[in-house]
Amino acid sequence: MIRLELALDLDYDIAPPGGDFIFNIHAARTQRQHVLSESLNLNQNLATQVETEPATLNRYLRVQAFAGPLKVSYRATVDLLHHFAPPGNIDELPVARLPASVLSYIYPSRYCQSDRLQQVAMREFGQRSHGYGRVQAIRDWVLQRTTFTPNTSNANTSAIDTLIEHVGVCRDFAHLMIALCRALNIPARFTTGIDYGADPALGPTDFHAYVEVYLGDRWYIFDPSGTAIPMGFVRFGTGRDAADVAFATIFGTVGSAAPVINIRAVAGADGQVRIPHHCADAISTDG
């Protein structure tokens, strides 16, 4: 078990007459991700509402804010009880045996045009043995062909753009891996968290996009950007692609500063501090 403390501060300047926000910044509550404590503070005296979407367990905070500065602070202590499995024992499932709850993750989506990448996927991975190893090969292929370069993509950049341009940030790596998996009928979804363990040379701690792939009987974590430590990912949201799980969706004229995020490992119930690290096992915080 790994216990993490996270602190997240968002800073906005809202033009009259005000703005509406939908935030996805609350740690998800899953069978293997336990939110022990959390707090939310806003500088404006506003009614807030946090709702959990039943299918994804994404938690959405709705805020209707006045014109002027808006500061949002979220704090949480989270226990991660990872499921570990030997990669060689994990199989892909044929479409006929996939649970209904994962079927939407084998279809193309706005940023993951899997229907247009079937030839590429079959050429590169079609002859590989099915299972975790094939998905790991897709992850490695995306990492090797793409250079992590800030400010090289925008809200319109898709998996195909990343395939052609060979550069991007974490969301672009994730979109390309997801599209290639889906092109092979492997369910894959876009997941948001925090880039625990990322090299400080890449910039301050930030939100992070990674991939969860459905294999065997659960969703396993993959980080195609290779910039962070998957064992330290605290899940916020999951969706078909980035369009489903923005950390903030804003309605109105609003300026913003860069988020300020801190995350650290702390002592668990037994008094021991366990530091997330890279490992050879397949890991999951689902199920």
Side-chain angles (χ1 to χ4, degrees):
M1 184 273 290
I2 292 172
R3 180 168 294 178
L4 299 173
E5 284 185 352
L6 61 95
L8 193 161
D9 294 290
L10 306 176
D11 195 349
Y12 300 97
D13 186 16
I14 307 169
D20 288 285
F21 296 76
I22 302 173
F23 293 106
N24 186 194
I25 58 172
H26 283 67
R29 299 178 185 271
T30 75
Q31 292 184 34
R32 292 185 172 271
Q33 180 170 292
H34 298 174
V35 181
L36 302 182
S37 64
E38 62 183 349
S39 64
L40 176 73
N41 290 289
L42 284 69
N43 69 316
Q44 295 189 19
N45 185 19
L46 301 169
T48 60
Q49 180 182 9
V50 179
E51 298 174 293
T52 300
E53 201 283 314
T56 61
L57 302 180
N58 297 349
R59 301 170 67 200
Y60 296 107
L61 166 67
R62 302 190 194 192
V63 175
Q64 187 173 37
F66 302 113
L70 173 67
K71 299 181 185 298
V72 180
S73 296
Y74 175 70
R75 305 287 186 269
T77 301
V78 179
D79 277 354
L80 299 176
L81 294 84
H82 295 95
H83 169 82
F84 295 93
N89 295 344
I90 304 171
D91 295 326
E92 297 173 28
L93 288 182
V95 172
R97 291 175 50 202
L98 290 173
S101 60
V102 311
L103 291 179
S104 62
Y105 300 105
I106 61 173
Y107 303 136
S109 61
R110 176 180 174 182
Y111 293 113
C112 303
Q113 310 101 314
S114 52
D115 52 336
R116 296 177 58 189
L117 291 179
Q118 288 180 344
Q119 289 186 351
V120 173
M122 288 302 298
R123 182 180 70 240
E124 298 292 337
F125 311 107
Q127 303 308 311
R128 289 182 174 267
S129 297
H130 292 196
Y132 187 97
R134 180 159 76 150
V135 176
Q136 183 66 37
I138 296 171
R139 178 265 181 195
D140 294 344
W141 189 88
V142 171
L143 176 60
Q144 292 162 7
R145 290 178 54 89
T146 314
T147 301
F148 190 96
T149 311
N151 303 314
T152 53
S153 62
N154 56 46
N156 295 317
T157 302
S158 71
I160 289 177
D161 296 323
T162 303
L163 178 67
I164 293 170
E165 296 167 10
H166 303 289
V167 295
V169 294
C170 57
R171 62 168 264 161
D172 306 308
F173 286 76
H175 284 152
L176 180 53
M177 179 177 174
I178 290 167
L180 290 168
C181 287
R182 292 180 188 170
L184 297 168
N185 300 323
I186 305 170
R189 66 187 184 186
F190 188 94
T191 311
T192 57
I194 296 175
D195 60 356
Y196 182 97
D199 187 341
L202 297 175
T205 302
D206 204 349
F207 292 103
H208 189 56
Y210 57 101
V211 177
E212 292 184 340
V213 178
Y214 195 85
L215 296 163
D217 61 352
R218 70 185 66 239
W219 293 96
Y220 285 95
I221 294 172
F222 295 85
D223 183 24
S225 72
T227 57
I229 300 174
M231 200 184 290
F233 293 166
V234 174
R235 184 204 296 179
F236 290 152
T238 63
R240 294 166 300 173
D241 56 32
D244 289 345
V245 285
F247 76 86
T249 305
I250 302 170
F251 304 86
T253 303
V254 179
S256 64
V260 177
I261 301 173
N262 290 286
I263 185 168
R264 66 189 184 111
V266 297
D270 60 359
Q272 300 297 310
V273 178
R274 293 179 173 82
I275 305 299
H277 57 274
H278 292 288
C279 72
D281 285 331
I283 62 173
S284 172
T285 52
D286 176 76

